[in-house]
Amino acid sequence: MTATTVATTIATSATPDRVNLLGLTKAQLEQFFVDHGEKKFRAQQVLKWIHHAGVTDFAEMSNLGKALREKLEHIAEVRPPEIVSQHDSADGTRKWAIRVDGGGLVEAVLIPDRDRATLCVSSQVGCSLDCSFCSTGKQGFMRDLSAAEIIGQVWLAIKSFDAFQSGKGRVVTNVVMMGMGEPLLNFDNVVSAMNLMMEDLAYGISKRRVTLSTSGVVPALDKLAEVSEASLAISLHAPNDALRNELVPINRKYPIARLLESSRNYIAAQSDNKRVVTVEYTLIAGVNDQPDQARELAELLRDFPCKINLIPFNPFPQSDYQRPSGNAVSRFWQVLVDAGYIVTVRTTRGDDIDAACGQLVGQVVDRTRRSERYRNAGQNQVTEAG
């Protein structure tokens, strides 16, 4: 493992009255130029400069007239967030700690795998939900990320490999909204950022390779089909409501049946009728990893268009949960395969730099005081044990 503190010359503080163009979609950027008395086609030029060439200085945008470049210097900026540190795992995984406005830190992780590289992107500073097996939730919640801060993670990942127009091939082939935060609770900014990911004038990633993962914010998921064609993953983690209520508290408001119905409707609304939902299931030793629970899951998902991704739990300090044994994972997998499902087991990547699934943490000015409660609870347990 190597750790690198990254110095950057990019301005990371907002300039009053300037619009950050980094997070604007094509339609939004066209409207920006029209509102300032310019032609709509300028949006296409600027999109390419920002997202194809990685240019943040208007003076370098050579196919814009001098007068327009000078005008943009006064009314706009291209300002990605700031990389504070970079960690490289022995397995090739790379993790960044990224500072955003207000002083919070989020994390993004790039996971290479043969001919593909998947970037795990954060949508919030912390998380307003409190799933019991996720370290991000233990930190509490600070705020939503802006669209610029979300797409900025893609921009920074490519920039860190010096890959804008470098001939090195596509650094990021897949994006998963599975980092810090619940994406559907930051709906508008996440949708804008995902649309930029799929925009040919920006990153041109296939809609099958941009995936939103949700814990089950059903009303927002019901709206998503109207504005996005991204792939869908749902964080299920339990075969029944009683257990999921404990693991994923939002289930108490939107139980499994409603989540599955909303997910089915989302898939049905897509123009591509071959879509399926990815069902994420974190296996926790002695909690949800037994063969009878696998059989219950198989019955629950019968006739539901899905593939199942099993994720062995990755331990972190504020959790008493344990990783299941290899035999337990194999038994669970076999039950589902025998029932006819396509099932993958996620290989743990980047755990030597705390970049594995469920391990992402940042720096959160916690508005919920949840992190304080967890720290106090841990101290109390140590006192009682002593």
mmCIF file of all heavy atoms in Angstrom, residues 23-66:
data_model
loop_
_atom_site.group_PDB
_atom_site.id
_atom_site.type_symbol
_atom_site.label_atom_id
_atom_site.label_comp_id
_atom_site.label_asym_id
_atom_site.label_seq_id
_atom_site.Cartn_x
_atom_site.Cartn_y
_atom_site.Cartn_z
ATOM 1 N N GLY A 23 -20.577 21.119 -13.128
ATOM 2 C CA GLY A 23 -21.715 20.255 -12.842
ATOM 3 C C GLY A 23 -22.935 20.498 -13.711
ATOM 4 O O GLY A 23 -23.990 19.900 -13.464
ATOM 5 N N LEU A 24 -22.822 21.340 -14.730
ATOM 6 C CA LEU A 24 -23.983 21.639 -15.573
ATOM 7 C C LEU A 24 -24.123 20.623 -16.701
ATOM 8 O O LEU A 24 -23.149 20.307 -17.388
ATOM 9 C CB LEU A 24 -23.873 23.047 -16.176
ATOM 10 C CG LEU A 24 -23.819 24.221 -15.200
ATOM 11 C CD1 LEU A 24 -23.931 25.544 -15.966
ATOM 12 C CD2 LEU A 24 -24.921 24.134 -14.147
ATOM 13 N N THR A 25 -25.333 20.119 -16.883
ATOM 14 C CA THR A 25 -25.618 19.226 -18.003
ATOM 15 C C THR A 25 -25.620 20.025 -19.301
ATOM 16 O O THR A 25 -25.552 21.264 -19.295
ATOM 17 C CB THR A 25 -26.984 18.558 -17.828
ATOM 18 O OG1 THR A 25 -28.005 19.573 -17.857
ATOM 19 C CG2 THR A 25 -27.067 17.802 -16.501
ATOM 20 N N LYS A 26 -25.725 19.322 -20.414
ATOM 21 C CA LYS A 26 -25.761 20.010 -21.710
ATOM 22 C C LYS A 26 -26.907 21.016 -21.751
ATOM 23 O O LYS A 26 -26.711 22.182 -22.158
ATOM 24 C CB LYS A 26 -25.911 18.988 -22.841
ATOM 25 C CG LYS A 26 -25.987 19.627 -24.228
ATOM 26 C CD LYS A 26 -26.236 18.578 -25.300
ATOM 27 C CE LYS A 26 -26.415 19.235 -26.666
ATOM 28 N NZ LYS A 26 -26.769 18.244 -27.708
ATOM 29 N N ALA A 27 -28.096 20.596 -21.340
ATOM 30 C CA ALA A 27 -29.253 21.496 -21.379
ATOM 31 C C ALA A 27 -29.044 22.690 -20.451
ATOM 32 O O ALA A 27 -29.386 23.833 -20.805
ATOM 33 C CB ALA A 27 -30.523 20.746 -21.003
ATOM 34 N N GLN A 28 -28.496 22.450 -19.273
ATOM 35 C CA GLN A 28 -28.265 23.539 -18.329
ATOM 36 C C GLN A 28 -27.203 24.499 -18.845
ATOM 37 O O GLN A 28 -27.323 25.721 -18.677
ATOM 38 C CB GLN A 28 -27.854 22.966 -16.974
ATOM 39 C CG GLN A 28 -28.963 22.224 -16.261
ATOM 40 C CD GLN A 28 -28.461 21.401 -15.088
ATOM 41 O OE1 GLN A 28 -27.270 21.056 -15.002
ATOM 42 N NE2 GLN A 28 -29.359 21.054 -14.174
ATOM 43 N N LEU A 29 -26.177 23.961 -19.486
ATOM 44 C CA LEU A 29 -25.113 24.817 -20.010
ATOM 45 C C LEU A 29 -25.611 25.627 -21.211
ATOM 46 O O LEU A 29 -25.245 26.803 -21.383
ATOM 47 C CB LEU A 29 -23.913 23.962 -20.394
ATOM 48 C CG LEU A 29 -22.568 24.680 -20.588
ATOM 49 C CD1 LEU A 29 -22.225 25.534 -19.376
ATOM 50 C CD2 LEU A 29 -21.467 23.654 -20.854
ATOM 51 N N GLU A 30 -26.454 25.017 -22.033
ATOM 52 C CA GLU A 30 -27.059 25.768 -23.139
ATOM 53 C C GLU A 30 -27.867 26.936 -22.596
ATOM 54 O O GLU A 30 -27.799 28.060 -23.128
ATOM 55 C CB GLU A 30 -27.944 24.841 -23.971
ATOM 56 C CG GLU A 30 -27.168 23.877 -24.847
ATOM 57 C CD GLU A 30 -28.069 22.904 -25.586
ATOM 58 O OE1 GLU A 30 -29.240 22.736 -25.168
ATOM 59 O OE2 GLU A 30 -27.611 22.309 -26.573
ATOM 60 N N GLN A 31 -28.647 26.690 -21.567
ATOM 61 C CA GLN A 31 -29.457 27.760 -20.990
ATOM 62 C C GLN A 31 -28.564 28.843 -20.384
ATOM 63 O O GLN A 31 -28.877 30.037 -20.484
ATOM 64 C CB GLN A 31 -30.385 27.195 -19.911
ATOM 65 C CG GLN A 31 -31.415 28.182 -19.398
ATOM 66 C CD GLN A 31 -32.345 28.675 -20.489
ATOM 67 O OE1 GLN A 31 -32.935 27.884 -21.227
ATOM 68 N NE2 GLN A 31 -32.470 29.991 -20.631
ATOM 69 N N PHE A 32 -27.458 28.441 -19.777
ATOM 70 C CA PHE A 32 -26.510 29.406 -19.222
ATOM 71 C C PHE A 32 -26.025 30.361 -20.307
ATOM 72 O O PHE A 32 -26.001 31.593 -20.112
ATOM 73 C CB PHE A 32 -25.321 28.671 -18.591
ATOM 74 C CG PHE A 32 -24.173 29.557 -18.224
ATOM 75 C CD1 PHE A 32 -24.170 30.259 -17.030
ATOM 76 C CD2 PHE A 32 -23.072 29.689 -19.085
ATOM 77 C CE1 PHE A 32 -23.096 31.087 -16.692
ATOM 78 C CE2 PHE A 32 -22.007 30.514 -18.752
ATOM 79 C CZ PHE A 32 -22.016 31.207 -17.558
ATOM 80 N N PHE A 33 -25.642 29.826 -21.458
ATOM 81 C CA PHE A 33 -25.140 30.685 -22.522
ATOM 82 C C PHE A 33 -26.245 31.557 -23.112
ATOM 83 O O PHE A 33 -26.018 32.745 -23.388
ATOM 84 C CB PHE A 33 -24.455 29.842 -23.600
ATOM 85 C CG PHE A 33 -23.054 29.455 -23.253
ATOM 86 C CD1 PHE A 33 -22.726 28.148 -22.920
ATOM 87 C CD2 PHE A 33 -22.048 30.407 -23.234
ATOM 88 C CE1 PHE A 33 -21.432 27.799 -22.577
ATOM 89 C CE2 PHE A 33 -20.741 30.069 -22.897
ATOM 90 C CZ PHE A 33 -20.440 28.766 -22.558
ATOM 91 N N VAL A 34 -27.420 31.013 -23.288
ATOM 92 C CA VAL A 34 -28.541 31.823 -23.800
ATOM 93 C C VAL A 34 -28.847 32.966 -22.838
ATOM 94 O O VAL A 34 -29.055 34.113 -23.257
ATOM 95 C CB VAL A 34 -29.787 30.935 -24.011
ATOM 96 C CG1 VAL A 34 -31.024 31.799 -24.282
ATOM 97 C CG2 VAL A 34 -29.561 29.961 -25.166
ATOM 98 N N ASP A 35 -28.854 32.663 -21.542
ATOM 99 C CA ASP A 35 -29.140 33.690 -20.539
ATOM 100 C C ASP A 35 -28.104 34.812 -20.553
ATOM 101 O O ASP A 35 -28.400 35.934 -20.108
ATOM 102 C CB ASP A 35 -29.178 33.068 -19.138
ATOM 103 C CG ASP A 35 -30.404 32.196 -18.908
ATOM 104 O OD1 ASP A 35 -31.351 32.288 -19.705
ATOM 105 O OD2 ASP A 35 -30.398 31.414 -17.937
ATOM 106 N N HIS A 36 -26.907 34.521 -21.049
ATOM 107 C CA HIS A 36 -25.852 35.537 -21.106
ATOM 108 C C HIS A 36 -25.609 36.035 -22.530
ATOM 109 O O HIS A 36 -24.525 36.539 -22.850
ATOM 110 C CB HIS A 36 -24.550 34.990 -20.492
ATOM 111 C CG HIS A 36 -24.618 34.842 -19.017
ATOM 112 N ND1 HIS A 36 -25.097 33.695 -18.398
ATOM 113 C CD2 HIS A 36 -24.298 35.714 -18.005
ATOM 114 C CE1 HIS A 36 -25.050 33.861 -17.088
ATOM 115 N NE2 HIS A 36 -24.584 35.056 -16.824
ATOM 116 N N GLY A 37 -26.635 35.876 -23.382
ATOM 117 C CA GLY A 37 -26.600 36.464 -24.719
ATOM 118 C C GLY A 37 -25.685 35.762 -25.697
ATOM 119 O O GLY A 37 -25.255 36.372 -26.693
ATOM 120 N N GLU A 38 -25.400 34.494 -25.469
ATOM 121 C CA GLU A 38 -24.517 33.738 -26.355
ATOM 122 C C GLU A 38 -25.290 32.621 -27.062
ATOM 123 O O GLU A 38 -26.415 32.291 -26.686
ATOM 124 C CB GLU A 38 -23.362 33.127 -25.547
ATOM 125 C CG GLU A 38 -22.513 34.121 -24.789
ATOM 126 C CD GLU A 38 -21.685 35.008 -25.700
ATOM 127 O OE1 GLU A 38 -21.463 34.617 -26.877
ATOM 128 O OE2 GLU A 38 -21.243 36.081 -25.236
ATOM 129 N N LYS A 39 -24.682 32.035 -28.087
ATOM 130 C CA LYS A 39 -25.307 30.957 -28.843
ATOM 131 C C LYS A 39 -25.267 29.642 -28.057
ATOM 132 O O LYS A 39 -24.316 29.368 -27.327
ATOM 133 C CB LYS A 39 -24.590 30.764 -30.181
ATOM 134 C CG LYS A 39 -24.608 31.998 -31.083
ATOM 135 C CD LYS A 39 -26.023 32.341 -31.536
ATOM 136 C CE LYS A 39 -25.986 33.495 -32.542
ATOM 137 N NZ LYS A 39 -27.364 33.879 -32.969
ATOM 138 N N LYS A 40 -26.302 28.814 -28.256
ATOM 139 C CA LYS A 40 -26.390 27.549 -27.533
ATOM 140 C C LYS A 40 -25.229 26.610 -27.845
ATOM 141 O O LYS A 40 -24.808 25.828 -26.988
ATOM 142 C CB LYS A 40 -27.711 26.840 -27.871
ATOM 143 C CG LYS A 40 -28.944 27.474 -27.259
ATOM 144 C CD LYS A 40 -30.228 26.847 -27.794
ATOM 145 C CE LYS A 40 -30.326 25.378 -27.455
ATOM 146 N NZ LYS A 40 -31.646 24.809 -27.841
ATOM 147 N N PHE A 41 -24.709 26.673 -29.090
ATOM 148 C CA PHE A 41 -23.672 25.707 -29.459
ATOM 149 C C PHE A 41 -22.394 25.868 -28.639
ATOM 150 O O PHE A 41 -21.553 24.973 -28.606
ATOM 151 C CB PHE A 41 -23.357 25.800 -30.955
ATOM 152 C CG PHE A 41 -22.520 26.976 -31.357
ATOM 153 C CD1 PHE A 41 -21.120 26.889 -31.336
ATOM 154 C CD2 PHE A 41 -23.093 28.172 -31.760
ATOM 155 C CE1 PHE A 41 -20.337 27.965 -31.715
ATOM 156 C CE2 PHE A 41 -22.313 29.256 -32.135
ATOM 157 C CZ PHE A 41 -20.931 29.154 -32.110
ATOM 158 N N ARG A 42 -22.248 27.019 -27.951
ATOM 159 C CA ARG A 42 -21.085 27.198 -27.092
ATOM 160 C C ARG A 42 -21.046 26.130 -25.987
ATOM 161 O O ARG A 42 -19.974 25.761 -25.503
ATOM 162 C CB ARG A 42 -21.098 28.589 -26.470
ATOM 163 C CG ARG A 42 -20.962 29.737 -27.466
ATOM 164 C CD ARG A 42 -19.663 29.656 -28.211
ATOM 165 N NE ARG A 42 -19.458 30.830 -29.070
ATOM 166 C CZ ARG A 42 -18.491 30.934 -29.976
ATOM 167 N NH1 ARG A 42 -17.650 29.913 -30.146
ATOM 168 N NH2 ARG A 42 -18.361 32.022 -30.706
ATOM 169 N N ALA A 43 -22.224 25.643 -25.613
ATOM 170 C CA ALA A 43 -22.283 24.615 -24.566
ATOM 171 C C ALA A 43 -21.541 23.362 -24.998
ATOM 172 O O ALA A 43 -20.816 22.748 -24.189
ATOM 173 C CB ALA A 43 -23.736 24.290 -24.239
ATOM 174 N N GLN A 44 -21.701 22.960 -26.258
ATOM 175 C CA GLN A 44 -21.011 21.762 -26.728
ATOM 176 C C GLN A 44 -19.501 21.944 -26.685
ATOM 177 O O GLN A 44 -18.758 21.028 -26.289
ATOM 178 C CB GLN A 44 -21.454 21.442 -28.154
ATOM 179 C CG GLN A 44 -22.944 21.145 -28.284
ATOM 180 C CD GLN A 44 -23.324 20.748 -29.695
ATOM 181 O OE1 GLN A 44 -22.536 20.148 -30.417
ATOM 182 N NE2 GLN A 44 -24.537 21.074 -30.101
ATOM 183 N N GLN A 45 -19.046 23.126 -27.077
ATOM 184 C CA GLN A 45 -17.609 23.388 -27.069
ATOM 185 C C GLN A 45 -17.042 23.322 -25.652
ATOM 186 O O GLN A 45 -16.011 22.689 -25.403
ATOM 187 C CB GLN A 45 -17.334 24.767 -27.682
ATOM 188 C CG GLN A 45 -17.683 24.862 -29.158
ATOM 189 C CD GLN A 45 -17.533 26.281 -29.680
ATOM 190 O OE1 GLN A 45 -18.013 27.241 -29.064
ATOM 191 N NE2 GLN A 45 -16.860 26.426 -30.814
ATOM 192 N N VAL A 46 -17.741 23.958 -24.727
ATOM 193 C CA VAL A 46 -17.240 24.022 -23.355
ATOM 194 C C VAL A 46 -17.318 22.652 -22.680
ATOM 195 O O VAL A 46 -16.413 22.273 -21.919
ATOM 196 C CB VAL A 46 -18.000 25.099 -22.555
ATOM 197 C CG1 VAL A 46 -17.640 25.045 -21.074
ATOM 198 C CG2 VAL A 46 -17.689 26.484 -23.112
ATOM 199 N N LEU A 47 -18.381 21.890 -22.945
ATOM 200 C CA LEU A 47 -18.466 20.525 -22.405
ATOM 201 C C LEU A 47 -17.256 19.699 -22.807
ATOM 202 O O LEU A 47 -16.663 18.984 -21.981
ATOM 203 C CB LEU A 47 -19.750 19.843 -22.891
ATOM 204 C CG LEU A 47 -21.043 20.144 -22.139
ATOM 205 C CD1 LEU A 47 -22.232 19.564 -22.890
ATOM 206 C CD2 LEU A 47 -21.001 19.585 -20.719
ATOM 207 N N LYS A 48 -16.874 19.781 -24.062
ATOM 208 C CA LYS A 48 -15.728 19.007 -24.536
ATOM 209 C C LYS A 48 -14.434 19.462 -23.866
ATOM 210 O O LYS A 48 -13.594 18.636 -23.491
ATOM 211 C CB LYS A 48 -15.602 19.120 -26.059
ATOM 212 C CG LYS A 48 -16.678 18.369 -26.828
ATOM 213 C CD LYS A 48 -16.449 18.501 -28.331
ATOM 214 C CE LYS A 48 -17.461 17.703 -29.125
ATOM 215 N NZ LYS A 48 -17.243 17.828 -30.587
ATOM 216 N N TRP A 49 -14.276 20.764 -23.717
ATOM 217 C CA TRP A 49 -13.070 21.266 -23.063
ATOM 218 C C TRP A 49 -12.967 20.748 -21.629
ATOM 219 O O TRP A 49 -11.904 20.324 -21.178
ATOM 220 C CB TRP A 49 -13.048 22.796 -23.071
ATOM 221 C CG TRP A 49 -12.603 23.401 -24.360
ATOM 222 C CD1 TRP A 49 -13.344 24.145 -25.237
ATOM 223 C CD2 TRP A 49 -11.295 23.325 -24.942
ATOM 224 N NE1 TRP A 49 -12.596 24.527 -26.320
ATOM 225 C CE2 TRP A 49 -11.328 24.035 -26.165
ATOM 226 C CE3 TRP A 49 -10.105 22.717 -24.547
ATOM 227 C CZ2 TRP A 49 -10.206 24.153 -26.985
ATOM 228 C CZ3 TRP A 49 -8.983 22.841 -25.363
ATOM 229 C CH2 TRP A 49 -9.038 23.547 -26.567
ATOM 230 N N ILE A 50 -14.095 20.785 -20.914
ATOM 231 C CA ILE A 50 -14.078 20.394 -19.501
ATOM 232 C C ILE A 50 -13.923 18.892 -19.331
ATOM 233 O O ILE A 50 -13.061 18.422 -18.578
ATOM 234 C CB ILE A 50 -15.371 20.868 -18.796
ATOM 235 C CG1 ILE A 50 -15.459 22.388 -18.781
ATOM 236 C CG2 ILE A 50 -15.425 20.319 -17.364
ATOM 237 C CD1 ILE A 50 -16.799 22.922 -18.288
ATOM 238 N N HIS A 51 -14.767 18.122 -20.035
ATOM 239 C CA HIS A 51 -14.891 16.698 -19.741
ATOM 240 C C HIS A 51 -14.093 15.794 -20.681
ATOM 241 O O HIS A 51 -13.798 14.648 -20.324
ATOM 242 C CB HIS A 51 -16.364 16.294 -19.757
ATOM 243 C CG HIS A 51 -17.196 17.068 -18.780
ATOM 244 N ND1 HIS A 51 -17.073 16.910 -17.421
ATOM 245 C CD2 HIS A 51 -18.155 18.016 -18.969
ATOM 246 C CE1 HIS A 51 -17.926 17.723 -16.805
ATOM 247 N NE2 HIS A 51 -18.588 18.394 -17.719
ATOM 248 N N HIS A 52 -13.755 16.281 -21.878
ATOM 249 C CA HIS A 52 -12.894 15.506 -22.772
ATOM 250 C C HIS A 52 -11.423 15.869 -22.583
ATOM 251 O O HIS A 52 -10.554 14.990 -22.594
ATOM 252 C CB HIS A 52 -13.269 15.736 -24.235
ATOM 253 C CG HIS A 52 -14.527 15.041 -24.657
ATOM 254 N ND1 HIS A 52 -14.964 15.013 -25.964
ATOM 255 C CD2 HIS A 52 -15.454 14.346 -23.954
ATOM 256 C CE1 HIS A 52 -16.106 14.329 -26.047
ATOM 257 N NE2 HIS A 52 -16.421 13.925 -24.834
ATOM 258 N N ALA A 53 -11.162 17.172 -22.441
ATOM 259 C CA ALA A 53 -9.773 17.644 -22.380
ATOM 260 C C ALA A 53 -9.302 17.932 -20.963
ATOM 261 O O ALA A 53 -8.100 18.116 -20.739
ATOM 262 C CB ALA A 53 -9.612 18.887 -23.245
ATOM 263 N N GLY A 54 -10.225 18.010 -19.999
ATOM 264 C CA GLY A 54 -9.832 18.275 -18.622
ATOM 265 C C GLY A 54 -9.355 19.694 -18.387
ATOM 266 O O GLY A 54 -8.588 19.953 -17.454
ATOM 267 N N VAL A 55 -9.812 20.633 -19.198
ATOM 268 C CA VAL A 55 -9.356 22.027 -19.107
ATOM 269 C C VAL A 55 -10.250 22.812 -18.147
ATOM 270 O O VAL A 55 -11.479 22.747 -18.237
ATOM 271 C CB VAL A 55 -9.366 22.688 -20.504
ATOM 272 C CG1 VAL A 55 -9.128 24.190 -20.414
ATOM 273 C CG2 VAL A 55 -8.307 22.039 -21.392
ATOM 274 N N THR A 56 -9.619 23.557 -17.238
ATOM 275 C CA THR A 56 -10.376 24.389 -16.287
ATOM 276 C C THR A 56 -10.160 25.880 -16.523
ATOM 277 O O THR A 56 -10.870 26.705 -15.944
ATOM 278 C CB THR A 56 -9.965 24.061 -14.842
ATOM 279 O OG1 THR A 56 -8.569 24.321 -14.658
ATOM 280 C CG2 THR A 56 -10.269 22.603 -14.509
ATOM 281 N N ASP A 57 -9.190 26.229 -17.350
ATOM 282 C CA ASP A 57 -8.851 27.627 -17.613
ATOM 283 C C ASP A 57 -9.498 28.068 -18.918
ATOM 284 O O ASP A 57 -9.193 27.534 -19.988
ATOM 285 C CB ASP A 57 -7.320 27.768 -17.692
ATOM 286 C CG ASP A 57 -6.867 29.212 -17.823
ATOM 287 O OD1 ASP A 57 -7.713 30.096 -18.060
ATOM 288 O OD2 ASP A 57 -5.644 29.445 -17.696
ATOM 289 N N PHE A 58 -10.395 29.037 -18.839
ATOM 290 C CA PHE A 58 -11.089 29.506 -20.050
ATOM 291 C C PHE A 58 -10.102 30.028 -21.097
ATOM 292 O O PHE A 58 -10.363 29.950 -22.302
ATOM 293 C CB PHE A 58 -12.106 30.588 -19.699
ATOM 294 C CG PHE A 58 -13.237 30.102 -18.837
ATOM 295 C CD1 PHE A 58 -13.456 30.651 -17.583
ATOM 296 C CD2 PHE A 58 -14.078 29.092 -19.277
ATOM 297 C CE1 PHE A 58 -14.497 30.207 -16.780
ATOM 298 C CE2 PHE A 58 -15.119 28.636 -18.487
ATOM 299 C CZ PHE A 58 -15.325 29.191 -17.229
ATOM 300 N N ALA A 59 -8.965 30.570 -20.666
ATOM 301 C CA ALA A 59 -7.982 31.117 -21.604
ATOM 302 C C ALA A 59 -7.440 30.047 -22.539
ATOM 303 O O ALA A 59 -6.949 30.364 -23.633
ATOM 304 C CB ALA A 59 -6.836 31.774 -20.836
ATOM 305 N N GLU A 60 -7.524 28.769 -22.144
ATOM 306 C CA GLU A 60 -7.013 27.678 -22.971
ATOM 307 C C GLU A 60 -8.062 27.133 -23.937
ATOM 308 O O GLU A 60 -7.746 26.273 -24.764
ATOM 309 C CB GLU A 60 -6.513 26.547 -22.072
ATOM 310 C CG GLU A 60 -5.332 26.928 -21.188
ATOM 311 C CD GLU A 60 -4.870 25.778 -20.320
ATOM 312 O OE1 GLU A 60 -5.198 24.608 -20.656
ATOM 313 O OE2 GLU A 60 -4.207 26.027 -19.300
ATOM 314 N N MET A 61 -9.290 27.614 -23.846
ATOM 315 C CA MET A 61 -10.358 27.110 -24.705
ATOM 316 C C MET A 61 -10.302 27.853 -26.036
ATOM 317 O O MET A 61 -11.022 28.822 -26.276
ATOM 318 C CB MET A 61 -11.709 27.267 -24.002
ATOM 319 C CG MET A 61 -11.782 26.481 -22.702
ATOM 320 S SD MET A 61 -13.402 26.589 -21.878
ATOM 321 C CE MET A 61 -13.092 25.608 -20.408
ATOM 322 N N SER A 62 -9.429 27.383 -26.906
ATOM 323 C CA SER A 62 -8.988 28.154 -28.068
ATOM 324 C C SER A 62 -10.045 28.371 -29.137
ATOM 325 O O SER A 62 -9.896 29.279 -29.960
ATOM 326 C CB SER A 62 -7.761 27.475 -28.696
ATOM 327 O OG SER A 62 -8.044 26.127 -29.013
ATOM 328 N N ASN A 63 -11.099 27.556 -29.168
ATOM 329 C CA ASN A 63 -12.128 27.790 -30.189
ATOM 330 C C ASN A 63 -13.237 28.720 -29.695
ATOM 331 O O ASN A 63 -14.243 28.902 -30.374
ATOM 332 C CB ASN A 63 -12.716 26.473 -30.696
ATOM 333 C CG ASN A 63 -13.332 25.635 -29.590
ATOM 334 O OD1 ASN A 63 -13.180 25.950 -28.403
ATOM 335 N ND2 ASN A 63 -14.019 24.570 -29.974
ATOM 336 N N LEU A 64 -13.051 29.311 -28.528
ATOM 337 C CA LEU A 64 -13.927 30.378 -28.066
ATOM 338 C C LEU A 64 -13.258 31.718 -28.365
ATOM 339 O O LEU A 64 -12.038 31.860 -28.210
ATOM 340 C CB LEU A 64 -14.188 30.272 -26.555
ATOM 341 C CG LEU A 64 -14.734 28.955 -26.016
ATOM 342 C CD1 LEU A 64 -14.969 29.068 -24.508
ATOM 343 C CD2 LEU A 64 -16.018 28.550 -26.716
ATOM 344 N N GLY A 65 -14.040 32.691 -28.791
ATOM 345 C CA GLY A 65 -13.479 34.009 -29.066
ATOM 346 C C GLY A 65 -12.895 34.638 -27.809
ATOM 347 O O GLY A 65 -13.294 34.325 -26.684
ATOM 348 N N LYS A 66 -11.944 35.549 -28.016
ATOM 349 C CA LYS A 66 -11.275 36.190 -26.882
ATOM 350 C C LYS A 66 -12.268 36.912 -25.985
ATOM 351 O O LYS A 66 -12.182 36.841 -24.748
ATOM 352 C CB LYS A 66 -10.214 37.158 -27.386
ATOM 353 C CG LYS A 66 -9.451 37.843 -26.266
ATOM 354 C CD LYS A 66 -8.380 38.785 -26.813
ATOM 355 C CE LYS A 66 -7.642 39.477 -25.670
ATOM 356 N NZ LYS A 66 -6.612 40.444 -26.180
#
